[in-house]
Amino acid sequence: MPRPAQVIRPAIAPGRRVVAVSDIHGNLPFLKGILEKVGYTPDDVLVIVGDLLEKGRDSLNTLRYVLELQKTHTVYPLCGNCDYIDRMFLEDRAIENAAFSKRSNSLLGAADAGADAELWPVLNYWGERSVLIQMAIELGFPMPQGPGDLPTLRSALLKSFPKETEFLLNLPHVLEAGNFIFVHGGVPREDRLEELDAYSCMKNDDFMGQGHSFQKWVVVGHWPVTLYNRAIQRSAPLIDKKRHIASIDGGCVLKVDGQLNALLIPDVYGDEMSCAWYDGLPAATALDPQEPSADPLNIRWSDSVVEVLGEEGDCVRVRHPATGREMWLPLDFVSTWRDGRTHTEDATDYALPVAPGDRLFLVRQTRRGLLVKKDGITGWYYGRIKYDKE
């Protein structure tokens, strides 16, 4: 029987600002960076819209930072699908989802029955990027070599990390306040939320592509927003005012140009909001104008197979078989994945529109040009820049 969603409805006073972030993935510097940038204070409410942890090498310290923050600030962390795997491990429960089981069993060839056998391929793949493994390392615990080692590890973590494991075991799935619903993956409706399947609220791919519209605002993460645009590599939040959906996953940790987005809501009983983000990239000022290129391509992880045509210094020429397009990329973007094929990181051939004086943020400097971000959009700039002073 699927687990029903746990819904909380905190009383947030009218006019109290809400700062919503999602998909931090254990990137503590980015979390601190965005909170400083937006001037987060105890007067504000912080809503973490899932995936606080996992895939980042500072997940344990990020968890502890939030625990400390809760002592002096109002913080509502929600459960994401990555956090949920940790929770199911601690509860010795299997994920009640057939798609997850199929993916897990194929990830590393798991064949044994049971919750630990199902979760093991994912934990093993994350390795030291998992908060559970980071706890084990801190304990000096032997690294698990298979699902048979997990019961002992579970017992040790529950005993040695009571505050951290309690945090994980009590993460709710949905927060509703005023005119807003916050949920990691998405919801199919805005009523009877407690009747929804918890995992489907967290693991809900391509939510904005499903055609939903709402009366209240539904704020989600989970699906990096760059995946919604086949032409432009965009990391800034997507806000659909007609359908009342805000998608805010900026690809933090997962993308080379990823950023941690914040949705700023001055009053949850109103309809206004603004955005800010932090990416930690060096800033510069553009000195030369540049016109945007026509017909750009955004190669995304869901269709990232490429063929290498040749190298030139720190760049590589590739062909994208799915579109037949060719482009130059930074050499370190291309690698061989576990499927034996050559893939690229999210990549683009887009030349940004730039005016002298524009603020740019450097992703890569190559002999063929600068890969930069402007207003949350990634593209190439072939002009001169002046770096900001330290």
Side-chain angles (χ1 to χ4, degrees), residues 27-55:
N27 192 330
L28 184 54
F30 275 39
L31 176 56
K32 290 181 176 179
I34 190 61
L35 293 182
E36 180 180 356
K37 184 173 182 178
V38 303
Y40 176 65
T41 76
D43 294 331
D44 301 317
V45 175
L46 176 63
V47 179
I48 300 174
V49 193
D51 279 2
L52 170 67
L53 308 174
E54 302 304 6
K55 303 182 181 179

mmCIF file of all heavy atoms in Angstrom, residues 27-55:
data_model
loop_
_atom_site.group_PDB
_atom_site.id
_atom_site.type_symbol
_atom_site.label_atom_id
_atom_site.label_comp_id
_atom_site.label_asym_id
_atom_site.label_seq_id
_atom_site.Cartn_x
_atom_site.Cartn_y
_atom_site.Cartn_z
ATOM 1 N N ASN A 27 24.892 21.184 -1.046
ATOM 2 C CA ASN A 27 25.831 22.246 -1.419
ATOM 3 C C ASN A 27 25.706 23.379 -0.401
ATOM 4 O O ASN A 27 24.952 24.340 -0.606
ATOM 5 C CB ASN A 27 25.541 22.758 -2.831
ATOM 6 C CG ASN A 27 26.644 23.646 -3.369
ATOM 7 O OD1 ASN A 27 27.318 24.334 -2.610
ATOM 8 N ND2 ASN A 27 26.830 23.633 -4.681
ATOM 9 N N LEU A 28 26.433 23.256 0.694
ATOM 10 C CA LEU A 28 26.329 24.221 1.785
ATOM 11 C C LEU A 28 26.784 25.625 1.387
ATOM 12 O O LEU A 28 26.127 26.609 1.758
ATOM 13 C CB LEU A 28 27.117 23.717 2.999
ATOM 14 C CG LEU A 28 27.032 24.562 4.270
ATOM 15 C CD1 LEU A 28 25.595 24.802 4.693
ATOM 16 C CD2 LEU A 28 27.822 23.887 5.395
ATOM 17 N N PRO A 29 27.877 25.792 0.642
ATOM 18 C CA PRO A 29 28.255 27.150 0.242
ATOM 19 C C PRO A 29 27.172 27.859 -0.564
ATOM 20 O O PRO A 29 26.949 29.061 -0.405
ATOM 21 C CB PRO A 29 29.527 26.937 -0.581
ATOM 22 C CG PRO A 29 30.106 25.673 -0.060
ATOM 23 C CD PRO A 29 28.928 24.812 0.254
ATOM 24 N N PHE A 30 26.482 27.133 -1.430
ATOM 25 C CA PHE A 30 25.414 27.745 -2.221
ATOM 26 C C PHE A 30 24.230 28.122 -1.329
ATOM 27 O O PHE A 30 23.605 29.169 -1.528
ATOM 28 C CB PHE A 30 24.961 26.812 -3.342
ATOM 29 C CG PHE A 30 25.787 26.900 -4.589
ATOM 30 C CD1 PHE A 30 27.162 27.048 -4.529
ATOM 31 C CD2 PHE A 30 25.202 26.811 -5.842
ATOM 32 C CE1 PHE A 30 27.942 27.127 -5.672
ATOM 33 C CE2 PHE A 30 25.954 26.894 -7.002
ATOM 34 C CZ PHE A 30 27.333 27.045 -6.928
ATOM 35 N N LEU A 31 23.906 27.269 -0.359
ATOM 36 C CA LEU A 31 22.802 27.588 0.552
ATOM 37 C C LEU A 31 23.121 28.844 1.347
ATOM 38 O O LEU A 31 22.292 29.766 1.444
ATOM 39 C CB LEU A 31 22.533 26.410 1.491
ATOM 40 C CG LEU A 31 21.463 26.646 2.571
ATOM 41 C CD1 LEU A 31 20.137 27.065 1.959
ATOM 42 C CD2 LEU A 31 21.299 25.415 3.446
ATOM 43 N N LYS A 32 24.326 28.899 1.901
ATOM 44 C CA LYS A 32 24.717 30.099 2.643
ATOM 45 C C LYS A 32 24.763 31.312 1.716
ATOM 46 O O LYS A 32 24.374 32.419 2.106
ATOM 47 C CB LYS A 32 26.083 29.882 3.298
ATOM 48 C CG LYS A 32 26.071 28.885 4.455
ATOM 49 C CD LYS A 32 27.465 28.753 5.063
ATOM 50 C CE LYS A 32 27.462 27.839 6.278
ATOM 51 N NZ LYS A 32 28.820 27.689 6.874
ATOM 52 N N GLY A 33 25.224 31.107 0.485
ATOM 53 C CA GLY A 33 25.349 32.198 -0.458
ATOM 54 C C GLY A 33 24.009 32.813 -0.824
ATOM 55 O O GLY A 33 23.868 34.045 -0.864
ATOM 56 N N ILE A 34 23.005 31.976 -1.089
ATOM 57 C CA ILE A 34 21.705 32.526 -1.479
ATOM 58 C C ILE A 34 21.007 33.168 -0.292
ATOM 59 O O ILE A 34 20.351 34.210 -0.442
ATOM 60 C CB ILE A 34 20.806 31.455 -2.137
ATOM 61 C CG1 ILE A 34 19.558 32.112 -2.745
ATOM 62 C CG2 ILE A 34 20.420 30.370 -1.170
ATOM 63 C CD1 ILE A 34 19.823 33.125 -3.821
ATOM 64 N N LEU A 35 21.157 32.611 0.908
ATOM 65 C CA LEU A 35 20.513 33.216 2.075
ATOM 66 C C LEU A 35 21.121 34.583 2.385
ATOM 67 O O LEU A 35 20.413 35.523 2.763
ATOM 68 C CB LEU A 35 20.628 32.288 3.281
ATOM 69 C CG LEU A 35 19.849 30.971 3.181
ATOM 70 C CD1 LEU A 35 20.009 30.162 4.465
ATOM 71 C CD2 LEU A 35 18.376 31.208 2.882
ATOM 72 N N GLU A 36 22.425 34.693 2.201
ATOM 73 C CA GLU A 36 23.068 35.994 2.399
ATOM 74 C C GLU A 36 22.622 36.984 1.323
ATOM 75 O O GLU A 36 22.354 38.164 1.608
ATOM 76 C CB GLU A 36 24.587 35.838 2.375
ATOM 77 C CG GLU A 36 25.332 37.145 2.570
ATOM 78 C CD GLU A 36 26.841 36.987 2.546
ATOM 79 O OE1 GLU A 36 27.327 35.833 2.442
ATOM 80 O OE2 GLU A 36 27.546 38.010 2.638
ATOM 81 N N LYS A 37 22.525 36.509 0.097
ATOM 82 C CA LYS A 37 22.168 37.388 -1.014
ATOM 83 C C LYS A 37 20.775 37.979 -0.846
ATOM 84 O O LYS A 37 20.544 39.152 -1.165
ATOM 85 C CB LYS A 37 22.258 36.620 -2.331
ATOM 86 C CG LYS A 37 22.003 37.484 -3.559
ATOM 87 C CD LYS A 37 22.277 36.709 -4.833
ATOM 88 C CE LYS A 37 22.061 37.601 -6.061
ATOM 89 N NZ LYS A 37 22.381 36.876 -7.321
ATOM 90 N N VAL A 38 19.818 37.172 -0.347
ATOM 91 C CA VAL A 38 18.436 37.664 -0.207
ATOM 92 C C VAL A 38 18.196 38.326 1.143
ATOM 93 O O VAL A 38 17.081 38.764 1.431
ATOM 94 C CB VAL A 38 17.416 36.535 -0.440
ATOM 95 C CG1 VAL A 38 17.621 35.896 -1.804
ATOM 96 C CG2 VAL A 38 17.477 35.473 0.663
ATOM 97 N N GLY A 39 19.236 38.388 2.005
ATOM 98 C CA GLY A 39 19.090 39.027 3.304
ATOM 99 C C GLY A 39 18.169 38.277 4.238
ATOM 100 O O GLY A 39 17.355 38.873 4.960
ATOM 101 N N TYR A 40 18.299 36.965 4.259
ATOM 102 C CA TYR A 40 17.440 36.114 5.093
ATOM 103 C C TYR A 40 17.672 36.401 6.577
ATOM 104 O O TYR A 40 18.808 36.427 7.051
ATOM 105 C CB TYR A 40 17.730 34.650 4.788
ATOM 106 C CG TYR A 40 16.979 33.666 5.638
ATOM 107 C CD1 TYR A 40 15.596 33.566 5.567
ATOM 108 C CD2 TYR A 40 17.662 32.806 6.503
ATOM 109 C CE1 TYR A 40 14.905 32.643 6.347
ATOM 110 C CE2 TYR A 40 16.981 31.882 7.278
ATOM 111 C CZ TYR A 40 15.610 31.805 7.195
ATOM 112 O OH TYR A 40 14.942 30.891 7.965
ATOM 113 N N THR A 41 16.581 36.630 7.320
ATOM 114 C CA THR A 41 16.636 36.937 8.752
ATOM 115 C C THR A 41 15.597 36.102 9.490
ATOM 116 O O THR A 41 14.738 35.453 8.869
ATOM 117 C CB THR A 41 16.343 38.428 9.005
ATOM 118 O OG1 THR A 41 14.928 38.665 8.856
ATOM 119 C CG2 THR A 41 17.126 39.330 8.062
ATOM 120 N N PRO A 42 15.616 36.139 10.830
ATOM 121 C CA PRO A 42 14.588 35.419 11.599
ATOM 122 C C PRO A 42 13.168 35.919 11.344
ATOM 123 O O PRO A 42 12.204 35.240 11.715
ATOM 124 C CB PRO A 42 15.010 35.660 13.056
ATOM 125 C CG PRO A 42 16.479 35.887 12.986
ATOM 126 C CD PRO A 42 16.699 36.632 11.707
ATOM 127 N N ASP A 43 13.032 37.074 10.736
ATOM 128 C CA ASP A 43 11.696 37.566 10.393
ATOM 129 C C ASP A 43 11.088 36.823 9.209
ATOM 130 O O ASP A 43 9.871 36.881 8.984
ATOM 131 C CB ASP A 43 11.744 39.062 10.064
ATOM 132 C CG ASP A 43 12.108 39.909 11.273
ATOM 133 O OD1 ASP A 43 11.804 39.491 12.406
ATOM 134 O OD2 ASP A 43 12.718 40.980 11.076
ATOM 135 N N ASP A 44 11.931 36.128 8.440
ATOM 136 C CA ASP A 44 11.480 35.410 7.249
ATOM 137 C C ASP A 44 11.135 33.965 7.571
ATOM 138 O O ASP A 44 11.492 33.434 8.632
ATOM 139 C CB ASP A 44 12.570 35.424 6.173
ATOM 140 C CG ASP A 44 12.956 36.827 5.751
ATOM 141 O OD1 ASP A 44 12.050 37.655 5.568
ATOM 142 O OD2 ASP A 44 14.169 37.093 5.611
ATOM 143 N N VAL A 45 10.476 33.322 6.628
ATOM 144 C CA VAL A 45 10.201 31.888 6.677
ATOM 145 C C VAL A 45 10.969 31.228 5.532
ATOM 146 O O VAL A 45 10.858 31.664 4.377
ATOM 147 C CB VAL A 45 8.695 31.589 6.527
ATOM 148 C CG1 VAL A 45 8.447 30.084 6.464
ATOM 149 C CG2 VAL A 45 7.910 32.209 7.676
ATOM 150 N N LEU A 46 11.749 30.206 5.843
ATOM 151 C CA LEU A 46 12.479 29.464 4.821
ATOM 152 C C LEU A 46 11.762 28.142 4.569
ATOM 153 O O LEU A 46 11.561 27.351 5.500
ATOM 154 C CB LEU A 46 13.919 29.205 5.271
ATOM 155 C CG LEU A 46 14.777 28.340 4.336
ATOM 156 C CD1 LEU A 46 14.960 29.014 2.983
ATOM 157 C CD2 LEU A 46 16.139 28.044 4.970
ATOM 158 N N VAL A 47 11.376 27.919 3.324
ATOM 159 C CA VAL A 47 10.796 26.640 2.917
ATOM 160 C C VAL A 47 11.790 25.947 1.989
ATOM 161 O O VAL A 47 12.141 26.494 0.938
ATOM 162 C CB VAL A 47 9.442 26.821 2.203
ATOM 163 C CG1 VAL A 47 8.890 25.465 1.768
ATOM 164 C CG2 VAL A 47 8.440 27.521 3.111
ATOM 165 N N ILE A 48 12.251 24.777 2.386
ATOM 166 C CA ILE A 48 13.170 23.989 1.566
ATOM 167 C C ILE A 48 12.327 22.946 0.845
ATOM 168 O O ILE A 48 11.827 22.000 1.458
ATOM 169 C CB ILE A 48 14.260 23.329 2.432
ATOM 170 C CG1 ILE A 48 15.067 24.405 3.162
ATOM 171 C CG2 ILE A 48 15.176 22.473 1.557
ATOM 172 C CD1 ILE A 48 16.062 23.856 4.156
ATOM 173 N N VAL A 49 12.179 23.122 -0.466
ATOM 174 C CA VAL A 49 11.211 22.333 -1.231
ATOM 175 C C VAL A 49 11.836 21.007 -1.700
ATOM 176 O O VAL A 49 11.795 20.650 -2.881
ATOM 177 C CB VAL A 49 10.667 23.162 -2.414
ATOM 178 C CG1 VAL A 49 9.437 22.484 -3.024
ATOM 179 C CG2 VAL A 49 10.272 24.563 -1.961
ATOM 180 N N GLY A 50 12.427 20.284 -0.760
ATOM 181 C CA GLY A 50 12.913 18.945 -1.032
ATOM 182 C C GLY A 50 14.314 18.858 -1.611
ATOM 183 O O GLY A 50 14.863 19.815 -2.151
ATOM 184 N N ASP A 51 14.891 17.652 -1.486
ATOM 185 C CA ASP A 51 16.257 17.340 -1.911
ATOM 186 C C ASP A 51 17.277 18.293 -1.301
ATOM 187 O O ASP A 51 18.145 18.845 -1.988
ATOM 188 C CB ASP A 51 16.371 17.300 -3.434
ATOM 189 C CG ASP A 51 15.883 15.973 -4.004
ATOM 190 O OD1 ASP A 51 15.421 15.121 -3.226
ATOM 191 O OD2 ASP A 51 15.950 15.779 -5.230
ATOM 192 N N LEU A 52 17.186 18.429 0.005
ATOM 193 C CA LEU A 52 18.216 19.139 0.755
ATOM 194 C C LEU A 52 19.547 18.413 0.613
ATOM 195 O O LEU A 52 20.604 19.034 0.570
ATOM 196 C CB LEU A 52 17.812 19.219 2.228
ATOM 197 C CG LEU A 52 18.860 19.718 3.218
ATOM 198 C CD1 LEU A 52 19.161 21.189 2.963
ATOM 199 C CD2 LEU A 52 18.405 19.497 4.652
ATOM 200 N N LEU A 53 19.480 17.075 0.526
ATOM 201 C CA LEU A 53 20.676 16.239 0.631
ATOM 202 C C LEU A 53 20.895 15.400 -0.621
ATOM 203 O O LEU A 53 20.095 15.393 -1.531
ATOM 204 C CB LEU A 53 20.536 15.317 1.843
ATOM 205 C CG LEU A 53 20.177 15.994 3.166
ATOM 206 C CD1 LEU A 53 19.921 14.954 4.232
ATOM 207 C CD2 LEU A 53 21.267 16.964 3.576
ATOM 208 N N GLU A 54 22.005 14.680 -0.596
ATOM 209 C CA GLU A 54 22.421 13.677 -1.572
ATOM 210 C C GLU A 54 22.964 14.295 -2.864
ATOM 211 O O GLU A 54 22.542 15.356 -3.291
ATOM 212 C CB GLU A 54 21.297 12.690 -1.875
ATOM 213 C CG GLU A 54 20.790 11.956 -0.641
ATOM 214 C CD GLU A 54 21.881 11.204 0.117
ATOM 215 O OE1 GLU A 54 23.071 11.317 -0.215
ATOM 216 O OE2 GLU A 54 21.544 10.500 1.080
ATOM 217 N N LYS A 55 23.924 13.595 -3.420
ATOM 218 C CA LYS A 55 24.629 13.955 -4.643
ATOM 219 C C LYS A 55 25.634 15.087 -4.429
ATOM 220 O O LYS A 55 26.343 15.454 -5.359
ATOM 221 C CB LYS A 55 23.653 14.311 -5.768
ATOM 222 C CG LYS A 55 22.662 13.199 -6.090
ATOM 223 C CD LYS A 55 21.744 13.572 -7.238
ATOM 224 C CE LYS A 55 20.760 12.460 -7.522
ATOM 225 N NZ LYS A 55 19.836 12.802 -8.632
#
